[in-house]
Amino acid sequence: MSIDAVPVPPNVLGESPLWHPLEQVLYWVDIPGRRLLRYDPAGGQYQEWAFDADLGCCAATTAGDLLLTRRDGLVRFDPRSGRSTPLAPAPYDPAFERFNDGKVDPQGRFWVGTIYEPRDAPRAALYRLDGNTLQRQAGDITVSNGLAWSPDGRLAYWADTKAHVVYRMDFDPHTGRLGPRELFLRFEPKDEAAPALYGGRPDGAAVDTEGCYWVAMFEGARLLRFSPEGELLRTVPVPVRCPTMPCFGGADLRTLYLTTAREKRPAGELEAMPWSGRVLQLRVDVPGLPAPLAQLDPLP
């Protein structure tokens, strides 16, 4: 399986790749770099926008703009004008917590999780945007990641990267209510006596049309594909230690884009893996699901 780097500059910590279903371009964020990035593979154009706060994720809306999570709150951003409009304040103390992985469910509701940055207690949570308010829907984890929905929209996936687990929950498409949490995947933690054997921890994820769950294994240098029953179907080694999140793109949704990180990585590792921080791309046999649009009215 051939893996290439997208011809754009590297990120410090690339995250939240989004293939825009209408624009047919790739958006993503560099969290500590405080940038939103855009790449048009058809024409090769690359753009970036700088902000004065850490970004967590991005999502497209029916109004033609984007939702962006900043450390200090949720905003709507218009890439054409560069205008940001505050939508909802952060529902946490920004000194200890920030937004992380977020996505739109199949019915157009925006969801976003957080990271409790001290990482010494399960104080992060998952929120859903209701109007102009972020409502807490689940909690008791440390690093929220791995958000995804099954093709029929009746199962939701949610990972706690710190705990090395992925949960699965029944999901009511009509109400957006989450059912009880059950364990879907568990990965072995790092053994400090044998760090070379470490397989990584679950970061961002995406689901394909067969309902299989693709997850990036941070510090594991690999991308994994699991069946809906949790059976490992494919392991894709990647040329970076820290992949962060996949998404499906291209006209046929068979190009898998993968953001990666180089933040705080050892110099020797970065020398041996020069694509660290780059966005990677590879072709896959089974297409992914198109990214839903957040159902929002146009701004005045």
Side-chain angles (χ1 to χ4, degrees):
M1 183 174 289
S2 176
I3 299 177
D4 298 311
V6 173
V8 299
N11 307 138
V12 180
L13 173 53
E15 267 285 9
S16 188
L18 164 72
W19 181 259
H20 198 296
L22 302 181
E23 297 181 24
Q24 293 289 288
V25 299
L26 182 72
Y27 285 96
W28 71 102
V29 302
D30 184 346
I31 295 177
R34 298 180 169 183
R35 295 180 299 156
L36 170 71
L37 310 122
R38 180 183 187 270
Y39 174 67
D40 179 358
Q45 292 92 358
Y46 169 75
Q47 292 176 271
E48 60 178 65
W49 296 265
F51 297 83
D52 59 1
D54 295 344
L55 302 181
C57 63
C58 60
T61 82
T62 53
D65 55 4
L66 300 175
L67 286 174
L68 288 181
T69 57
R70 298 166 41 114
R71 181 179 287 271
D72 54 2
L74 177 63
V75 303
R76 294 178 66 170
F77 177 71
D78 184 352
R80 294 158 296 192
S81 66
R83 175 190 176 195
S84 289
T85 303
L87 182 59
Y92 52 74
D93 183 347
F96 300 98
E97 206 168 342
R98 68 164 173 81
F99 288 121
N100 196 44
D101 187 23
K103 284 185 179 175
V104 178
D105 71 25
Q107 287 69 42
R109 294 171 290 240
F110 178 67
W111 298 70
V112 62
T114 65
I115 288 180
Y116 182 65
E117 292 183 307
R119 289 176 168 79
D120 57 3
R123 296 180 181 173
L126 180 64
Y127 297 87
R128 187 183 68 213
L129 179 65
D130 293 336
N132 293 342
T133 305
L134 287 162
Q135 301 285 352
R136 189 178 188 271
Q137 303 298 313
D140 302 319
I141 68 168
T142 304
V143 178
S144 179
N145 255 316
L147 266 181
W149 280 265
S150 60
D152 65 3
R154 296 189 175 278
L155 288 174
Y157 298 92
W158 188 37
D160 185 347
T161 302
K162 177 70 164 56
H164 290 69
V165 297
V166 179
Y167 298 109
R168 182 173 60 190
M169 297 165 282
D170 288 336
F171 185 77
D172 187 326
H174 302 292
T175 65
R177 184 173 181 176
L178 295 169
R181 189 183 310 175
E182 64 179 44
L183 182 67
F184 179 57
L185 302 171
R186 183 185 298 277
F187 301 92
E188 291 297 320
K190 184 184 294 186
D191 183 350
E192 297 300 337
L197 301 178
Y198 183 48
R201 51 196 180 273
D203 202 318
V207 170
D208 63 29
T209 56
E210 293 182 351
C212 293
Y213 185 82
W214 291 78
V215 60
M217 298 301 291
F218 193 87
E219 283 196 322
R222 57 187 183 144
L223 182 66
L224 303 179
R225 181 181 187 244
F226 289 91
S227 74
E229 294 73 38
E231 176 188 0
L232 178 60
L233 301 178
R234 170 174 279 185
T235 299
V236 181
V238 297
V240 299
R241 182 63 58 196
C242 297
T244 57
M245 185 175 174
C247 84
F248 294 94
D252 59 1
L253 294 175
R254 288 182 51 230
T255 297
L256 192 147
Y257 291 102
L258 181 66
T259 49
T260 73
R262 60 186 293 113
E263 183 182 35
K264 300 177 182 178
R265 303 310 301 171
E269 176 183 305
L270 296 179
E271 183 177 357
M273 297 179 164
W275 281 358
S276 299
R278 299 286 296 274
V279 178
L280 307 181
Q281 59 183 349
L282 60 146
R283 294 288 289 170
V284 295
D285 297 330
V286 180
L289 301 171
L293 301 175
Q295 300 290 317
L296 295 178
D297 294 328
L299 290 170

